[in-house]
Amino acid sequence: MLAGALLLAVVWLFLLRYVPVNTLYGPGGYIPNRGDLLRAFLPRAATAMFFLLLFGLAGGWILAGRMLAPLTQITHAARLAAGGSLSHRIGMQGPADEFRELADVFDAMLHQHEAHLAEQQRFAANASHELRTPLAITRAILDVARTDPTRDKREHLERLHKVNTRAIDLTEALLLLSRSKGQGLAREPVDLSLIAEEASETLLPLAEQRQITLEVTGEPTQTTGSAELLLRMVTNLVQNAIVHNIATGGTVTVHTATHHGASVLQIHNTGPRLRPELVQTLTEPFQRGTQRIRTTEHAGVGLGLAIVQSIVHAHHGTLDLTPRSGGGLIVTVRLPSTQNQGPVLSMTRTGP
């Protein structure tokens, strides 16, 4: 309508205003004046403007509907997600325009939230089951002590102490896992080689007890993050490598290096042969029984590698688990590096 009005204004300014108002006669006879032209032109112009209005409204409504149809799909998916349904996907088809990109990003966000929610629900169910077990055992021991007062109280106290210790360890592991999933980590420069040396020094008595050769090699490997959480990560990995090893004469090798802009921590350990499909489940919390290799000593609470994976993700790194051809496991942790290349430094701690 504005374009039509502008055209009419142009016709008036540059054409009709120069047509004489009075009636003129020329060699060919009567010459139409301005009034004649206006009477002939204005009805047609009004009709044209009317059709322009109808066409503009109808065409604009259809075009806007077609243009905004993808937004309607996205809005519908957003309403479903707000109502708690995260399984719906837009799956928009058509050209790769801005709406398609927005829909794809929204679908990816829904997928991540659904996976995260499922993980949280599964973890909450497993954690509730694990915490219920020591409480049930404690109640059973107390019931036995109440119904049989003649039984040795020291035996009850010893069993209660063990069950309570396990419940405390499990609670601390859950708190650490929750903390490692947080985003507000205090970050500072950390040398992974020193962390590996400290963790190996702490676990050396366990390696000696199990007749495991524990060796730490590599170079200064700088990264940034929480030194406390990274120490817990390395400690869990080295402890798993020692505990889930062969009966005697096994080896555990801890190596640190900077490779392609990443700070790499790699741990090799001997042990039983592991199926690839089993290795993929090792980072799941509370995976026990026949699906996990466990020992009666230092059995842990089933959160070791789950804590490791959470700490690695909180530091924007990656965790890779690969079965060794001769048995055992290769664990590779890659974290963002803060150095280009440092001098090589070898450190060795070896059990008997």
Side-chain angles (χ1 to χ4, degrees):
M1 289 295 293
L2 289 176
L6 179 62
L7 287 176
L8 291 178
V10 170
V11 170
W12 171 258
L13 290 175
F14 298 100
L15 181 62
L16 292 180
R17 65 179 299 185
Y18 296 106
V19 176
V21 178
N22 300 324
T23 302
L24 299 176
Y25 293 91
Y30 175 76
I31 299 176
N33 58 20
R34 184 185 302 178
D36 295 330
L37 293 179
L38 287 176
R39 283 189 295 271
F41 176 72
L42 286 180
R44 278 79 177 175
T47 303
M49 291 290 287
F50 177 74
F51 280 105
L52 279 178
L53 176 61
L54 292 181
F55 178 78
L57 291 176
W61 182 79
I62 295 174
L63 182 61
R66 291 176 61 88
M67 291 290 294
L68 297 180
L71 276 183
T72 304
Q73 291 182 264
I74 297 174
T75 303
H76 177 65
R79 286 199 181 99
L80 291 177
S85 175
L86 300 179
S87 60
H88 178 73
R89 298 293 181 270
I90 300 173
M92 185 175 295
Q93 304 297 324
D97 54 9
E98 289 79 1
F99 288 118
R100 172 75 176 276
E101 182 179 1
L102 176 61
D104 291 343
V105 172
F106 194 82
D107 283 346
M109 182 188 69
L110 287 178
H111 176 74
Q112 291 180 356
H113 279 291
E114 184 182 25
H116 180 70
L117 179 61
E119 178 186 355
Q120 292 296 323
Q121 291 174 343
R122 185 169 62 253
F123 177 79
N126 290 333
S128 299
H129 175 75
E130 293 295 325
L131 287 172
R132 184 177 60 182
T133 300
L135 294 177
I137 295 175
T138 299
R139 184 176 64 180
I141 295 174
L142 292 176
D143 289 341
V144 171
R146 184 178 58 181
T147 57
D148 187 8
T150 60
R151 195 164 181 175
D152 189 2
K153 293 183 179 180
R154 288 177 299 181
E155 179 183 354
H156 292 312
L157 292 176
E158 182 65 24
R159 293 184 62 189
L160 283 174
H161 181 269
K162 291 181 179 180
V163 173
N164 188 63
T165 299
R166 177 171 177 76
I168 292 175
D169 292 342
L170 177 59
T171 303
E172 291 180 348
L174 290 171
L175 291 174
L176 179 60
L177 183 60
S178 175
R179 177 188 172 193
S180 63
K181 289 179 180 291
Q183 300 298 322
L185 296 179
R187 299 187 178 275
E188 58 182 324
V190 178
D191 188 344
L192 282 181
S193 63
L194 298 180
I195 295 291
E197 177 72 9
E198 182 178 353
S200 301
E201 185 77 24
T202 302
L203 293 170
L204 185 60
L206 177 61
E208 293 176 344
Q209 177 184 354
R210 300 178 61 86
Q211 298 183 9
I212 301 293
T213 300
L214 177 59
E215 185 177 6
V216 183
T217 63
E219 61 187 28
T221 306
Q222 300 293 331
T223 187
T224 58
S226 169
E228 178 185 357
L229 289 180
L230 291 175
L231 177 60
R232 182 58 182 264
M233 175 193 75
V234 179
T235 301
N236 282 4
L237 290 175
V238 175
Q239 180 174 343
N240 281 346
I242 295 174
V243 172
H244 303 297
N245 213 306
I246 59 179
T248 56
T251 61
V252 175
T253 302
V254 184
H255 183 75
T256 58
T258 302
H259 186 65
H260 293 309
S263 297
V264 180
L265 170 75
Q266 195 167 68
I267 300 178
H268 296 245
N269 70 282
T270 54
R273 292 181 179 273
L274 299 175
R275 302 187 310 275
E277 57 271 19
L278 173 62
V279 172
Q280 296 176 1
T281 68
L282 293 180
T283 56
E284 286 289 329
F286 307 117
Q287 293 295 317
R288 291 204 178 101
T290 58
Q291 296 182 350
R292 292 287 291 271
I293 297 174
R294 295 181 56 79
T295 61
T296 56
E297 184 181 11
H298 299 283
V301 294
L303 289 173
L305 287 178
I307 291 175
V308 168
Q309 180 172 254
S310 182
I311 293 175
V312 171
H313 287 173
H315 288 79
H316 309 292
T318 60
L319 173 66
D320 295 321
L321 305 179
T322 307
R324 294 177 72 246
S325 57
L329 194 65
I330 301 175
V331 180
T332 305
V333 176
R334 292 180 176 87
L335 300 175
S337 177
T338 58
Q339 68 181 20
N340 293 326
Q341 184 66 36
V344 175
L345 175 64
S346 297
M347 301 168 289
T348 303
R349 297 295 300 178
T350 306

